[in-house]
Amino acid sequence: MNTSNRSSTRAVLCTSALLALGCAFVLAIASTPALRAESASLQPLADMAPKLPLSASFEKTAGDENAPYVLTLKNDSKDTVKASAKVLLAVAFHAESKARNVPEQVVEPGKTWTIADLAKGDRITVSAEGFAPLELTVE
């Protein structure tokens, strides 16, 4: 009698475990399309902001191969753009900040704005009110 009690208890436990795993699997599959639909509905909201009307170009300053880079941003629109930038440094010392904030700059139509002392791998995010941010990487 003792053996049959153990085997029936073991069968009940295995059945319960399989049922729980099955329910978890069904819930995981059922929630995936809902997550895709939610993220797809949020994406057009991010695309609504117009593109920042600044064209970017990088130049290496004269010197050795470790010389710093300069970012030149040209205002291609007919309106003045007031923008600021944040540089995420590729190489930073432990005692210093890993980011450098560039103060807000007014760029007249057709004029340029330069951001100097950039290194290879630095990531720059240029932002202006009413525009989608412009993200660049020094390569």
Side-chain angles (χ1 to χ4, degrees):
M1 257 213 193
N2 213 2
T3 307
S4 68
N5 261 349
R6 286 184 188 166
S7 63
S8 67
T9 305
R10 190 176 292 165
V12 169
L13 286 175
C14 287
T15 305
S16 298
L18 285 174
L19 182 61
L21 283 173
C23 288
F25 182 71
V26 168
L27 287 175
I29 290 176
S31 65
T32 302
L35 290 175
R36 283 191 204 133
E38 183 178 309
S39 65
S41 67
L42 294 177
Q43 186 62 24
L45 295 176
D47 294 339
M48 293 177 94
K51 183 179 172 187
L52 193 59
L54 298 175
S55 57
S57 63
F58 290 99
E59 291 181 37
K60 191 173 193 178
T61 58
D64 63 15
E65 67 180 56
N66 293 327
Y69 288 82
V70 174
L71 169 63
T72 303
L73 298 162
K74 182 179 179 190
N75 184 352
D76 296 327
S77 73
K78 297 176 186 173
D79 299 320
T80 301
V81 174
K82 188 188 283 189
S84 62
K86 183 173 188 173
V87 180
L88 296 175
L89 304 171
V91 178
F93 297 104
H94 294 288
E96 295 178 3
S97 175
K98 294 183 185 343
R100 176 175 59 136
N101 291 317
V102 180
E104 193 169 64
Q105 181 79 22
V106 176
V107 185
E108 300 285 329
K111 302 291 182 179
T112 60
W113 173 31
T114 58
I115 300 174
D117 297 324
L118 300 171
K120 193 174 237 177
D122 285 353
R123 293 181 305 175
I124 303 99
T125 303
V126 182
S127 352
E129 188 175 328
F131 295 100
L134 176 64
E135 296 182 358
L136 306 162
T137 303
V138 180
E139 295 181 0

